[in-house]
Amino acid sequence: MARWCLLLCLSCFAAGVWAAEIQWRRADSDADRRQLADLAARLTDSLPVRGKMQQQKHMAILTAPLQSAGHFAIAANGDMTWAVETPFAVLYQIREGRIVRVLDGRETEISVSNEPSVYGFFQIVGKLFDLQLEGLETFFTVEVPQTPRAGLWQLRLVPKNRRLAKAIAAIVVTGKEGVLHTVTVQEPNEDYTRIQFSYPALGED
Amino acid sequence: MAGMGRAQRGFQYTCLLLTALMLGLGVMSLGRLQLNNDILALFPGLDEHSAEAEANRLRAGSIEREILLLVYSSDQSRLHDTLPAVVENLKRCDCFAEVAARLADLGGGQSFDLPGAHPSLLLTPQWRRRLASLTPGQLTDQALQRLLMRPGGFSSAELRTDPLGSLADFKQQWQPEAGRISANDAGYAQLTLPEGDYILLRLTLSGSPFRLSLQRSAEQALAQALAPVRALPEADVLYTGAFFYTLAGTEQARAEISTVGLGSALGIIALFVLVFRSPGLLLLAFVPIGVGVLTGLAVVQWWFGQVHIIALVFGSALVGVAIDYTLHFYAKRLDAGQHWNLADGYRRLIAPLSLGLLTSVAGYLSFTATGFPGFTQVAVMSCAGLIAAFVTVMGLYPVLLARPGKRNLSRPLLILLNRGVRGQQAIVRLSRRPLLWLLLAGAALAIGPLWQSNDDIRQMQNPPARLQSMDEIFRSALGARRAMQYILVEASDEAGLLSHLQQIEKDLSAAQSAGQLAGFDLLSRWLPSERQQRENRALWQARVIDSGVLADLLNRLGVRDAAASSIVADMRTSQVIEPQEVFGQLRGAAMPLVFQHRGKFYSVVSLNGPLDAQALSALADRWPYAEWVDPVARTNQLLQHYRHNASALLVLAYGLIGLLLCGRYGPGGALRVILPPAMASVVTLFGLLALGQAISVFHIMALMLVLGIGIDYTLFVRESADLSRSTLLAIGLSTVTTVLSFGLLALSGTQAIAHFGVAVFWGMILAFVLAPLAQRQ
């Protein structure tokens, strides 16, 4: 039932597009597991990391996607700063699992009950940055492309739980080397959310 | 049995037959015993048919069966690996109805969905204020900010069903404690304490925690299931729930029964070895006690459907008084030596023993007049046990002890008894001096002003400190501290009930702002009254729809025209939720209690402490449809009331026994017979006061016992032509065994039992010392 929380969280963090041309398969062979472990090690090694993020929310009922942008930083121990700058300035700080929102100088603690979607978002994103497979596989089946793209790594997370699947069709994660570049959350309908990360400190913009 | 008359023989055979019958019934009923160790069950409850009693029953049903566990290890990964097996093992025990470790399995408001929920109908007081006070522009800006500042955004479904987020805020009220609990990586409910992240498990017992069989199996299941957790590095297991308190209570009672039983048994064995010097007689002495205990338990189980643990402790000790019958029989036979004549001995014993039984039973039965269910059980068990022991002595002993014993009184004992008789005569002489009485009266006058009483039930219980400290950890970790006090609201129909609750919610919110209570939960937070829903809908219509807030919000988000029209139309139309339709679904441990009783509707308003009981009680007085319920204060009032009643009854019992004895001894003789236990009681009471002890109802109960047994002593003294050795031996031995049993009760960790024990201890010693005052002049 804890999945229920993530379901609620991720339903709000939902959306997504997916490239229909990519064929996916379950990452269950020994070779896949080794590659995923290598990838997790590379992602972990790249921490701490800081960069910019840009979010686009595509919804069928909207004439244009909603956009927001800001910057983020993730420490080696998993602590995170997530600062949205536009269209509204708001800061989220995650310290030892405790999520605090700072808005107009006022702090609010975010819990699974008072804001399940925000809580779930950080639960998932936090695990993606260092690929905590154990935590992710509690709720998702991890898939890899049949044909990997040169220079990029891609993963698809498909909900195991039916209730979670009602809100999220899949989460597609794309990265290069030891960093994450795109997270796309596809909802069961046409809506999706895409978050792009860039790392000016690494020469990316 | 040569020499016994026909009537005597008939009586003896009847007793023998009854003994066999009672023994058989007692053995048969042993397997069906059901023990209850709830101390509150000792006290008179409310009218069982009252709504308050029903509320208490329903509240207790959900609260007393809940067990909360917090488990921790520094190796979180291994802890998570271990938990599925822990949960599975616990589920395997029939003793648990539910075992939950995953967050949403914990139940409460998260799993509740109100049919027909619509944002226009369900508004929190804060949202009503916001809608009423903010301008349309401010409302739109706030809604936009809420939607766009969230990482991950929002879904189209959310926009369609709850565009302002007001419905989510309303449902937030359903999870008062959930804010502190989070889901960890593995989906387990996690609670962060200063020591680290603990996993929370919620268990529900399949039956009452007072059932001994359930206690045993649940304790075993918990120990086995949690053993792997305890083996983890730096493991810690914290627990709370009524179950652990009842378990501790049962353990304490068991230990005290063993101590009292062992002390009593060792005392009796030592006395028998020293006085009667016969292993056969020693074994035979336990037969009436055994038959008495078995019969007492069987009668109590049959009469009440269960045996209270206090009844078992006190009742067993009281039945131990039945050893007196044996002692009188043995003492008479030992003193007669080779001149023992069964018919003569039987004739001499039958009158004082029967009178003793009669007065003891009358004394014990006066317990029932106090109205205490626990003590009614003690009385029934004691009476049944004493009668059984009496018929065993009168039926079995003539068969086995018809011939004279092989041993006479030992020389040291003979010397001791002769000295005792002289001592008793000295006491009688002393009692004739007016100076003694003047001194006693002076002492009474001096001690009188020291009078103090104690009727606080909390001081009479002794919960283990470790359980209390763990309880405190849970309370501070989970936030709200549910108070014992609550408000019971009554109405003739569902709509009326919700309407009353709406008013109470308003007043309690003000009281909360004034710091009179930490929080509260009530049904109207789950479902507002129909009137409130209509008011909400009108406010919503005016401030969200007609003002253009929603249309503006959708426009600024860039929602397509068709979708925007559809959303506005959906938000414009809503159907008031009728309470009759959903009342049946308002069930669950976390929900406010609502029930129907004798055609009326009731709901409980739970309060969170710390709270100002006096201020809230005064507030509740202003609502004609509500009642302030304080179970602890009510019990304390009852204790005081019954202390007064028991005191009056004690005086009445002396009067009645005096009247009963007038027929045989005349007024003067009857007064002499009741004087020693009465004096023993008064001196004990004043002694305790002089030592600074506050008098409770349990002291008064003890004095009833002093009357019941003390009268036995004086009857034997009175029936003896003079102060005989056999009488002194019998009542002396009886005093030693009684004092041993009840003296040990004075060491009980439960203050109520200790009070009882210490008063019986001194009361019986004094009753023995003063017994010679009953002799004929």
Side-chain angles (χ1 to χ4, degrees):
Chain A
M1 285 288 278
R3 294 177 179 103
W4 170 88
C5 311
L6 282 179
L7 163 94
L8 279 177
C9 317
L10 294 175
S11 62
C12 305
F13 168 46
V17 69
W18 185 235
E21 68 272 14
I22 297 180
Q23 299 293 311
W24 300 92
R25 63 175 177 79
R26 286 183 71 156
D28 49 9
S29 70
D30 289 345
D32 291 335
R33 303 310 296 179
R34 274 197 302 277
Q35 281 181 359
L36 287 175
D38 286 348
L39 178 57
R42 270 185 286 152
L43 283 163
T44 307
D45 287 346
S46 68
L47 296 179
V49 69
R50 57 177 59 246
K52 293 179 176 177
M53 54 35 184
Q54 190 166 35
Q55 177 180 294
Q56 283 192 334
K57 179 88 194 179
H58 295 258
M59 296 167 82
I61 61 168
L62 300 181
T63 50
L66 295 170
Q67 301 205 22
S68 59
H71 64 268
F72 71 95
I74 298 176
N77 67 356
D79 284 355
M80 191 189 301
T81 300
W82 188 273
V84 181
E85 287 153 359
T86 58
F88 293 100
V90 59
L91 172 69
Y92 292 90
Q93 287 179 316
I94 295 94
R95 299 280 179 272
E96 294 177 348
R98 190 167 162 257
I99 306 172
V100 174
R101 177 173 53 219
V102 186
L103 179 66
D104 300 330
R106 215 155 30 93
E107 288 191 4
T108 310
E109 184 162 353
I110 307 295
S111 71
V112 68
S113 62
N114 66 11
E115 295 209 29
S117 60
V118 177
Y119 184 86
F121 173 85
F122 287 116
Q123 289 288 315
I124 296 294
V125 169
K127 289 178 180 56
L128 290 177
F129 272 96
D130 55 357
L131 199 61
Q132 293 174 32
L133 281 170
E134 192 188 341
L136 290 169
E137 287 186 322
T138 307
F139 305 102
F140 301 99
T141 302
V142 179
E143 297 180 340
V144 291
Q146 291 278 15
T147 318
R149 284 171 66 183
L152 287 178
W153 53 264
Q154 290 173 303
L155 296 175
R156 187 165 83 151
L157 307 175
V158 180
K160 288 177 176 174
N161 181 293
R162 226 176 332 161
R163 287 183 76 172
L164 188 58
K166 280 184 185 170
I168 298 172
I171 298 173
V172 177
V173 188
T174 308
K176 191 178 173 187
E177 306 287 324
V179 289
L180 196 66
H181 275 146
T182 315
V183 175
T184 306
V185 182
Q186 188 180 0
E187 293 179 35
N189 53 27
E190 300 165 34
D191 299 347
Y192 64 91
T193 303
R194 177 178 291 161
I195 307 171
Q196 289 176 299
F197 302 99
S198 60
Y199 305 89
L202 302 176
E204 294 180 10
D205 206 1
Chain B
M1 278 165 282
M4 276 176 81
R6 232 173 119 179
Q8 279 182 359
R9 209 174 305 129
F11 179 70
Q12 187 235 327
Y13 285 147
T14 309
C15 287
L16 200 58
L17 188 70
L18 282 172
T19 304
L21 199 68
M22 287 189 282
L23 187 64
L25 284 174
V27 170
M28 273 164 56
S29 66
L30 262 187
R32 285 197 291 271
L33 281 189
Q34 198 177 331
L35 292 183
N36 178 1
N37 67 356
D38 176 10
I39 193 154
L40 289 175
L42 275 174
F43 307 114
L46 300 155
D47 168 13
E48 284 193 7
H49 304 296
S50 71
E52 188 183 327
E54 178 72 357
N56 287 343
R57 194 181 60 76
L58 291 169
R59 264 166 68 91
S62 63
I63 295 169
E64 76 183 16
R65 293 186 186 191
E66 185 181 78
I67 289 177
L68 293 178
L69 301 174
L70 280 174
V71 294
Y72 169 80
S73 166
S74 55
D75 190 339
Q76 289 277 311
S77 166
R78 280 176 66 193
L79 178 64
H80 294 170
D81 292 346
T82 311
L83 280 173
V86 171
V87 171
E88 275 316 302
N89 284 335
L90 290 172
K91 278 182 176 171
R92 247 179 247 139
C93 180
D94 292 341
C95 51
F96 298 115
E98 283 173 44
V99 180
R102 306 268 176 189
L103 183 63
D105 290 341
L106 293 180
Q110 294 160 340
S111 53
F112 177 71
D113 196 15
L114 185 64
H118 193 277
S120 66
L121 304 171
L122 307 177
L123 293 172
T124 62
Q126 292 82 355
W127 264 102
R128 282 198 294 272
R129 277 197 296 276
R130 200 180 294 171
L131 290 180
S133 61
L134 296 183
T135 64
Q138 287 172 320
L139 282 171
T140 312
D141 286 347
Q142 278 194 1
L144 207 57
Q145 188 180 41
R146 179 184 153 273
L147 289 169
L148 297 181
M149 75 180 180
R150 288 185 354 201
F154 57 92
S155 69
S156 56
E158 195 184 343
L159 192 62
R160 284 180 187 282
T161 55
D162 188 19
L164 304 190
S166 57
L167 187 59
D169 286 346
F170 186 87
K171 290 182 177 180
Q172 180 69 37
Q173 300 180 121
W174 301 348
Q175 305 166 41
E177 71 182 36
R180 311 284 179 115
I181 308 169
S182 57
N184 70 8
D185 295 352
Y188 289 112
Q190 183 174 290
L191 205 58
T192 303
L193 301 185
E195 296 78 14
D197 292 335
Y198 282 67
I199 306 294
L200 176 71
L201 286 91
R202 178 171 279 162
L203 284 62
T204 310
L205 290 168
S206 57
S208 165
F210 298 111
R211 261 178 46 207
L212 286 186
S213 56
L214 185 122
Q215 271 183 22
R216 269 195 300 272
S217 49
E219 186 186 17
Q220 215 167 17
L222 280 167
Q224 280 173 1
L226 293 171
V229 174
R230 292 184 197 276
L232 294 174
E234 295 176 60
D236 191 20
V237 177
L238 303 173
Y239 42 85
T240 191
F243 167 75
F244 297 104
Y245 285 92
T246 57
L247 202 62
T250 306
E251 283 309 313
Q252 189 180 327
R254 270 194 194 129
E256 285 172 5
I257 289 169
S258 311
T259 314
V260 170
L262 188 71
S264 189
L266 285 177
I268 291 168
I269 289 169
L271 282 175
F272 273 75
V273 168
L274 286 170
V275 177
F276 301 110
R277 293 168 291 157
S278 159
L281 286 181
L282 176 63
L283 289 176
L284 189 59
F286 284 97
V287 175
I289 299 177
V291 177
V293 171
L294 281 176
T295 308
L297 286 175
V299 171
V300 169
Q301 176 68 41
W302 167 76
W303 195 321
F304 299 95
Q306 60 173 12
V307 179
H308 196 283
I309 203 89
I310 300 283
L312 182 62
V313 177
F314 284 0
S316 300
L318 288 171
V319 171
V321 171
I323 194 77
D324 290 5
Y325 305 141
T326 300
L327 289 172
H328 282 296
F329 204 105
Y330 284 9
K332 193 64 91 185
R333 181 167 173 263
L334 184 70
D335 192 40
Q338 295 307 309
H339 306 293
W340 168 245
N341 177 294
L342 176 65
D344 185 46
Y346 203 77
R347 185 179 52 77
R348 282 173 185 272
L349 281 169
I350 206 161
L353 282 188
S354 304
L355 264 178
L357 176 70
L358 196 68
T359 50
S360 293
V361 166
Y364 295 149
L365 283 181
S366 65
F367 281 27
T368 60
T370 64
F372 279 68
F375 282 98
T376 304
Q377 284 200 15
V378 173
V380 170
M381 175 151 175
S382 303
C383 288
L386 279 182
I387 293 168
F390 173 82
V391 298
T392 307
V393 168
M394 301 313 280
L396 189 66
Y397 283 12
V399 179
L400 302 172
L401 303 173
R403 283 181 295 181
K406 289 175 188 162
R407 291 184 175 83
N408 294 328
L409 280 171
S410 65
R411 190 167 166 69
L413 187 61
L414 203 59
I415 294 169
L416 193 69
L417 284 173
N418 286 334
R419 281 187 185 165
V421 170
R422 284 201 294 277
Q424 287 190 321
Q425 285 161 346
I427 287 170
V428 173
R429 282 196 301 276
L430 196 64
S431 72
R432 290 179 189 143
R433 294 189 179 173
L435 184 66
L436 174 77
W437 299 98
L438 276 173
L439 279 174
L440 282 173
L445 282 174
I447 297 168
L450 300 176
W451 174 266
Q452 53 175 336
S453 56
N454 174 12
D455 302 306
D456 191 345
I457 180 70
R458 284 166 297 194
Q459 287 179 28
M460 295 177 192
Q461 298 187 79
N462 183 31
R466 174 154 166 75
L467 279 183
Q468 283 180 303
S469 70
M470 282 196 285
D471 217 18
E472 199 45 53
I473 292 172
F474 274 90
R475 281 176 180 174
S476 57
L478 288 171
R481 190 161 69 87
R482 184 63 59 90
M484 291 283 280
Q485 297 96 332
Y486 63 91
I487 295 163
L488 184 63
V489 188
E490 176 193 305
S492 51
D493 56 28
E494 299 97 323
L497 190 62
L498 287 173
S499 170
H500 295 337
L501 287 166
Q502 214 81 53
Q503 179 59 46
I504 289 173
E505 184 177 2
K506 215 175 280 178
D507 293 349
L508 281 181
S509 296
Q512 188 178 355
S513 304
Q516 289 173 354
L517 75 165
F520 60 95
D521 190 24
L522 74 184
L523 190 63
S524 54
R525 281 190 174 167
W526 295 66
L527 175 66
S529 67
E530 288 178 83
R531 184 179 160 193
Q532 184 65 62
Q533 289 182 56
R534 285 196 188 91
E535 284 176 11
N536 288 347
R537 192 168 58 183
L539 184 66
W540 178 271
Q541 179 68 34
R543 308 292 297 169
V544 179
I545 308 294
D546 297 346
S547 66
V549 166
L550 184 57
D552 190 25
L553 172 69
L554 297 174
N555 182 42
R556 285 170 70 178
L557 285 171
V559 176
R560 294 179 198 279
D561 290 345
S565 304
S566 155
I567 292 170
V568 171
D570 284 348
M571 286 297 109
R572 194 194 293 273
T573 50
S574 59
Q575 193 117 35
V576 168
I577 306 164
E578 291 182 14
Q580 298 91 313
E581 290 171 15
V582 295
F583 254 44
Q585 297 169 46
L586 296 171
R587 295 281 185 272
M591 292 179 201
L593 188 59
V594 54
F595 61 94
Q596 222 178 328
H597 182 76
R598 294 186 166 181
K600 291 197 168 178
F601 287 83
Y602 294 87
S603 188
V604 165
V605 180
S606 310
L607 307 170
N608 295 333
L611 51 77
D612 181 345
Q614 209 173 358
L616 293 172
S617 163
L619 182 64
D621 284 344
R622 298 206 323 240
W623 307 312
Y625 40 76
E627 188 184 353
W628 170 259
V629 183
D630 186 339
V632 174
R634 194 181 284 278
T635 305
N636 291 348
Q637 276 169 5
L638 279 171
L639 277 178
Q640 187 193 39
H641 174 69
Y642 285 100
R643 180 168 53 79
H644 292 158
N645 271 9
S647 306
L649 274 168
L650 185 62
V651 175
L652 187 72
Y654 272 101
L656 280 176
I657 292 174
L659 280 177
L660 196 73
L661 297 175
C662 268
R664 187 167 173 90
Y665 305 126
L671 189 66
R672 282 186 164 278
V673 172
I674 60 170
L675 185 67
M679 265 189 74
S681 298
V682 170
V683 174
T684 300
L685 212 55
F686 278 88
L688 292 172
L689 284 170
L691 291 171
Q693 209 170 96
I695 302 303
S696 74
V697 68
F698 298 97
H699 290 113
I700 309 297
M701 291 293 176
L703 298 184
M704 287 183 160
L705 186 70
V706 171
L707 165 65
I709 303 176
I711 281 285
D712 258 7
Y713 297 175
T714 53
L715 280 171
F716 266 92
V717 169
R718 186 77 191 178
E719 287 292 321
S720 304
D722 48 20
L723 289 172
S724 77
R725 279 197 316 246
S726 68
T727 303
L728 180 64
L729 177 62
I731 66 172
L733 290 175
S734 159
T735 305
V736 175
T737 53
T738 309
V739 159
L740 266 178
S741 306
F742 291 106
L744 288 170
L745 278 184
L747 301 175
S748 168
T750 306
Q751 208 182 48
I753 300 177
H755 279 177
F756 187 89
V758 78
V760 171
F761 181 88
W762 290 113
M764 289 321 304
I765 289 178
L766 287 166
F768 168 71
V769 171
L770 300 172
L773 301 183
Q775 74 170 139
R776 288 193 191 91
Q777 286 203 313

